[in-house]
Amino acid sequence: MTDELDEQLPRGVAVSRRHGAPPWQVDAGERPSLHVVVEGSFHLVQHEQRVLELAPGDLVLVGAGPPGSAPREQRLRCLPSPPGARSPQAELLSATYAAAPAELPVLPPVVHLRAADTRASPGLLAIVSLLRAALANAGAGQEALARSLLQPLLAYTLHSHRRALAATRTVDRRITRALQLMQAKPTERWTVAALAKAAGLSRAAFARRFLAELGVPPLRHLTAIRMQRAAKRLAESDDSLAAVAAEVGYDSEFAFSRAFKRHMGEAPAAFRRRCSAQGGPHALPVVCAAA
């Protein structure tokens, strides 16, 4: 994984291993979270509706899309073992992240990798194996090891997701060109018309294809990139709000603050205070729980 990708990915803030005889459930929470089914059968439930079935070896990333794109009431529900099952136990590894990986191309709110997809990635299998071993043994050293694995776990998951998509469809190169421009120049005063021209499409065709490829309109994707970068600057620097606003393409502190609150759920100053009180957005304690 490259240094550039490492900079784009949010840090892991919590990790847990939950196991025991079903039924039981795990709240997905408001932060983006990644879950690996080691043993047992699970359903992803949104507002009490089953939306996805998960089997051993499956991996699901929840809340990866733009802020507000996924329901908040989500949980993974462990199902009772069928009669005659080899093992009555279930096991789930979970990782929580500081923010969605919005600087990468926008993902759907739920990313599901089936066991076959995870088996196709030796790197991902190795990270999961190491994480499981670290969480199976108590101790400060093991907790530190588990924490260190969360970012490569997300990186390999995203890589495997992109590879699985590539096997089924080819992303329009003209849309890719627009994505690259937004990533490289997020402070540019982009309009849909300007992006369409750079992509070599009419405005209407570009807007339609972009939405079909990524699931969000072009300028919403651009705002997600800007807000992710702004959050990083607020958490890691003492720069004024006006300076941060200018760094991510806003002419005024007021316009930036309004956009940040709309997308992140709290004002920039409140976000910075919370990060400072927690020792930074990535300094939350590791949570190791067992059912």
Side-chain angles (χ1 to χ4, degrees):
M1 297 299 153
T2 66
D3 293 338
E4 180 182 1
L5 179 59
D6 183 71
E7 284 295 317
Q8 293 174 345
L9 294 178
R11 304 286 176 180
V13 297
V15 61
S16 66
R17 171 179 176 257
R18 294 171 172 86
H19 60 94
W24 45 270
Q25 63 184 18
V26 174
D27 289 334
E30 295 185 5
R31 293 178 180 270
S33 57
L34 191 156
H35 309 270
V36 182
V37 177
V38 178
E39 195 169 11
S41 298
F42 290 79
H43 277 151
L44 175 64
V45 178
Q46 296 176 348
H47 300 302
E48 297 306 318
Q49 298 294 318
R50 298 178 178 180
V51 297
L52 184 65
E53 294 184 4
L54 299 168
D58 282 14
L59 184 152
V60 63
L61 176 61
V62 182
S69 63
R72 291 191 174 186
E73 295 182 15
Q74 299 185 106
R75 58 184 58 89
L76 275 82
R77 186 168 292 165
C78 181
L79 306 178
S81 301
R86 181 177 58 84
S87 172
Q89 300 293 307
E91 182 178 348
L92 184 74
L93 307 181
S94 300
T96 303
Y97 294 87
E103 290 196 343
L104 298 173
V106 172
L107 299 166
V110 176
V111 173
H112 177 209
L113 292 181
R114 299 187 183 278
D117 298 321
T118 59
R119 286 195 299 268
S121 173
L124 181 56
L125 285 177
I127 294 295
V128 170
S129 179
L130 288 171
L131 181 62
R132 188 186 183 201
L135 292 176
N137 299 286
Q142 296 299 103
E143 291 182 358
L145 174 60
R147 184 191 294 274
S148 72
L149 295 171
L150 296 192
Q151 198 167 13
L153 174 65
L154 179 57
Y156 274 104
T157 296
L158 295 175
H159 175 72
S160 297
H161 172 64
R162 288 193 296 268
R163 186 169 59 184
L165 282 180
T168 58
R169 67 181 179 91
T170 302
V171 177
D172 192 317
R173 291 184 178 181
R174 290 168 291 188
I175 300 302
T176 300
R177 171 59 179 161
L179 289 171
Q180 291 170 340
L181 287 172
M182 282 188 273
Q183 294 283 352
K185 300 179 179 180
T187 61
E188 191 82 14
R189 295 179 182 275
W190 293 115
T191 63
V192 175
L195 289 167
K197 182 178 180 180
L201 292 166
S202 70
R203 186 186 186 285
F206 171 75
R208 184 172 60 252
R209 293 191 186 189
F210 194 101
L211 181 63
E213 292 282 356
L214 297 174
V216 293
L219 296 187
R220 182 175 174 183
H221 173 76
L222 177 62
T223 299
I225 292 174
R226 289 172 170 172
M227 293 302 104
Q228 184 72 10
R229 294 191 178 187
K232 181 178 177 65
R233 295 299 297 158
L234 289 168
E236 298 180 356
S237 77
D238 295 324
D239 293 348
S240 67
L241 294 186
V244 174
E247 285 185 30
V248 295
Y250 287 85
D251 291 332
S252 73
E253 181 181 325
F254 174 77
F256 164 67
S257 297
R258 183 173 58 183
F260 190 92
K261 185 173 183 179
R262 182 171 63 249
H263 285 268
M264 304 298 286
E266 60 184 330
F271 175 83
R272 172 172 271 171
R273 286 194 298 271
R274 179 168 61 81
C275 290
S276 178
Q278 295 173 345
H282 317 307
L284 298 181
V286 173
V287 177
C288 293

